[in-house]
Structures are given as structure tokens and as C-alpha cells.
């Protein structure tokens, strides 16, 4: 599910904090529930990642994206509320490097989706209508449903890594043409071959990138605080015990290790009586 789009500088809503309960002996049957809660907490950190990264492969192209254009001035593909497609100036960019570009206007953002049953993508604009290209190469975003004109392929560029040529179903390509009387180029969909002007860089939100998301989820699963470990076991832990539990979490036998430490804790308590 695509989340509400956020931009740099937007204030994030404060999350309600729950007070921690005292550390007491817990019922062993609660261990899986506690572990699930920890995983969900870690997962929420991944889902809240609103940074932007570059798509490396067609399989990356999903969720909110921008098409950074190979124009003289940094621009990207955008559309207005009437479906007119135009090149929009990029403001959130470092030293003109398109690999750092981020949107500052919702009109610059398209939601990419793989179309079921066919080899192609659809790109929905901020107003709920799809990017399309007619037989004359004219681009617009006025259709509420997907047809062949609203279906595109993302073909990796053979010469420039991490860039794509966007191909229509008529086997033409989206391209730019620099205009002498303006700093923004014209965008059309009638190029017959791949060239520098058809080479677009796709920027996307990090949380939707499959490889990056998997790596962050794995790291999030491995990250657990001393306090969380002690709450799971139900008592204070020494450094060696905490280290062993963190290792068990990485290796996938966390439940068994927690139960072992709980049993050990109960034995120690009775031995001291």
C-alpha cells in the first residue's frame, strides 16, 4: 500500500509512547508475542524511511517515483491537474547531480505499478490519472483507466548505469528536445531509437526498493536493545547473557535462548532462597 507522500522539511507526527512495565517473571507462552512486537517495531522504522534512492533495475520501479530528465538544467517529468505533461525544474538536488534529485512538488511524482498479465508499467499522476502517449507521440495524463497507450517498458540503458529508456507500446521512446526560448525542454514520445535524450534516471522512495528494503529489514531484525532483551527474559541480564541473546537473535533461535535464560533465572532465584 502506497503511503502519503512526504517531502524534505515536513514535520513528522509524534508517536504516542507507552510506559514500560516493571521487569517481572513472564509466562513462557508470551515469548513469541514479545518477539513479534519487537519485529513489528523494527519494521515500522523501515516503513517510515522517506529518503529517495536511484532505481537500478526494472524490478525496482514501484511506488512513488520521479523521472529525472537529461536536460541542460535539472528537470523532471510532471503533470498539472488538467493532465498536461511538462518538464518541471528540480529544486531538491545537490550540485546538479540527478542521482541526488528529490521532488519538491507533488506534480513531479508518479506512482509506478507493474501491470498484471503484461510486461509493462503504469504511471499514475498526483490527480489519479495515468501517463499516456498517443500515436503522434503526444504525452498527457488524462485517462482514468489503463490501455496500451498507458503502458510502458523501462529498458536499462546500455551505456549509462542506473538509467532507463521509457518505451511505449508502439516501440517508440520518451525523449526531450531542448527549446531555444526556454530553460525547460519539450517532452515527447516519438523517438525511434535510444539516445542520450531518451536516457532518464528514475528516483524512488527507499522503502519500496526490494533489495534495500530487505537489507534494512534484516538489520532491523538484528537490532535490539538491552532493555528489550531484559523485558523478554523477565529479569536483569549480565553482559555475557545479553551478548548470547543477541547472537541467538541473529542466528534464528531467539525463542529457545529466551526460554533457557528464563529457566536459568528461576533456578538461580530458588538457589538463593
Amino acid at each position: 500500500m502506497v503511503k502519503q507522500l512526504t517531502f524534505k522539511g515536513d514535520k513528522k507526527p509524534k508517536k504516542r509512547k507507552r510506559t514500560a512495565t516493571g521487569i517481572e517473571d513472564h509466562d513462557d507462552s508470551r515469548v513469541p508475542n514479545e518477539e513479534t512486537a519487537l519485529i513489528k517495531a523494527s519494521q515500522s522504522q523501515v516503513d517510515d524511511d522517506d529518503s529517495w534512492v536511484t532505481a537500478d533495475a526494472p524490478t525496482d520501479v514501484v511506488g512513488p517515483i520521479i523521472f529525472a530528465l537529461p536536460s541542460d538544467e535539472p528537470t523532471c517529468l510532471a503533470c498539472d491537474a488538467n493532465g498536461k505533461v511538462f518538464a518541471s525544474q528540480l529544486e531538491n538536488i545537490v550540485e546538479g547531480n540527478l542521482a541526488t534529485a528529490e521532488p519538491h512538488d507533488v506534480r513531479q511524482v508518479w506512482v509506478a505499478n507493474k501491470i498484471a498479465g503484461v510486461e509493462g508499467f503504469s504511471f499514475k499522476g498526483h490527480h489519479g490519472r495515468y501517463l499516456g502517449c498517443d500515436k503522434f507521440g503526444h504525452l498527457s495524463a488524462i485517462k482514468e483507466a489503463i490501455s496500451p497507450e498507458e503502458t510502458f517498458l523501462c529498458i536499462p540503458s546500455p551505456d549509462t548505469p542506473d538509467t532507463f529508456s521509457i518505451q511505449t507500446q508502439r516501440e517508440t521512446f520518451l525523449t526531450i528536445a531542448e527549446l531555444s526560448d526556454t530553460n525547460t525542454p519539450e517532452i515527447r514520445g516519438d523517438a525511434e531509437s535510444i539516445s542520450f535524450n531518451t536516457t532518464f534516471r528514475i528516483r524512488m522512495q527507499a522503502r519500496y526498493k526490494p533489495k534495500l528494503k530487505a537489507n534494512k529489514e534484516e538489520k532491523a531484525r538484528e537490532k535490539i536493545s538491552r532493555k528489550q532483551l531484559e523485558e523478554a527474559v523477565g529479569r536483569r541480564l549480565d553482559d555475557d547473557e545479553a551478548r548470547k541473546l543477541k547472537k541467538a537473535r541473529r542466528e534464528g533461535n531467539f525463542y529457545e535462548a529466551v526460554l533457557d535464560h528464563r529457566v536459568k533465572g528461576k533456578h538461580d532465584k530458588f538457589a538463593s532462597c
Side-chain angles (χ1 to χ4, degrees), residues 77-119:
L77 190 73
C79 74
D80 62 20
N82 296 318
K84 179 183 178 181
V85 174
F86 61 98
S88 174
Q89 291 283 346
L90 283 166
E91 295 181 5
N92 291 340
I93 188 168
V94 179
E95 297 181 349
N97 183 2
L98 295 181
T100 66
E102 296 184 10
H104 68 275
D105 188 332
V106 72
R107 297 181 300 172
Q108 300 174 337
V109 179
W110 303 84
V111 177
N113 275 301
K114 185 79 172 63
I115 302 175
V118 299
E119 185 183 2

Side-chain angles (χ1 to χ4, degrees), residues 15-265:
K15 295 183 178 179
R16 182 183 299 174
K17 295 183 178 179
R18 296 183 179 179
T19 57
T21 58
I23 298 176
E24 302 291 344
D25 284 341
H26 299 285
D27 181 12
D28 291 348
S29 62
R30 291 180 56 191
V31 177
N33 292 334
E34 291 166 350
E35 171 67 357
T36 301
L38 294 176
I39 292 173
K40 286 183 178 179
S42 299
Q43 177 64 43
S44 68
Q45 297 175 5
V46 177
D47 292 340
D48 288 341
D49 187 355
D50 58 2
S51 61
W52 290 74
V53 296
T54 299
D56 308 308
T59 51
D60 289 342
V61 182
V62 63
I65 66 167
I66 62 171
F67 295 99
L69 307 176
S71 49
D72 292 340
E73 296 293 329
T75 59
C76 67
L77 190 73
C79 74
D80 62 20
N82 296 318
K84 179 183 178 181
V85 174
F86 61 98
S88 174
Q89 291 283 346
L90 283 166
E91 295 181 5
N92 291 340
I93 188 168
V94 179
E95 297 181 349
N97 183 2
L98 295 181
T100 66
E102 296 184 10
H104 68 275
D105 188 332
V106 72
R107 297 181 300 172
Q108 300 174 337
V109 179
W110 303 84
V111 177
N113 275 301
K114 185 79 172 63
I115 302 175
V118 299
E119 185 183 2
F121 294 88
S122 66
F123 304 110
K124 183 186 286 188
H126 65 98
H127 58 335
R129 299 172 188 266
Y130 293 92
L131 178 66
C133 181
D134 65 18
K135 62 182 178 181
F136 302 108
H138 175 71
L139 296 175
S140 64
I142 58 175
K143 298 288 184 65
E144 295 181 347
I146 300 170
S147 72
E149 288 190 348
E150 287 72 46
T151 304
F152 300 87
L153 296 177
C154 295
I155 300 177
S157 171
D159 301 320
T160 309
D162 303 334
T163 60
F164 301 85
S165 290
I166 312 303
Q167 187 180 48
T168 72
Q169 292 299 294
R170 293 186 174 89
E171 298 186 353
T172 58
F173 298 92
L174 272 59
T175 186
I176 64 166
E178 299 285 357
L179 302 177
S180 57
D181 57 342
T182 178
N183 290 330
T184 57
E186 179 187 12
I187 313 169
R188 296 189 56 79
D190 54 4
E192 296 182 351
S193 61
I194 294 175
S195 67
F196 174 78
N197 285 354
T198 68
T199 304
F200 295 5
R201 187 177 295 273
I202 297 178
R203 297 280 290 167
M204 61 180 294
Q205 287 196 329
R207 63 171 172 258
Y208 294 101
K209 190 169 185 178
K211 183 177 180 180
L212 189 61
K213 183 177 181 180
N215 289 342
K216 287 191 174 183
E217 286 178 351
E218 184 62 28
K219 289 180 180 179
R221 286 178 62 90
E222 293 177 2
K223 187 185 296 184
I224 186 171
S225 69
R226 177 78 163 258
K227 181 180 178 181
Q228 288 172 315
L229 290 173
E230 290 177 343
E231 287 177 347
V233 174
R235 63 177 176 83
R236 300 290 181 186
L237 299 171
D238 59 34
D239 291 343
D240 185 57
E241 289 175 322
R243 189 162 45 250
K244 287 180 179 178
L245 282 173
K246 288 183 178 181
K247 181 179 180 182
R249 184 177 171 84
R250 291 193 299 269
E251 295 176 349
N253 59 334
F254 183 71
Y255 298 155
E256 294 84 348
V258 168
L259 291 175
D260 288 344
H261 281 75
R262 284 186 173 179
V263 171
K264 179 180 181 298

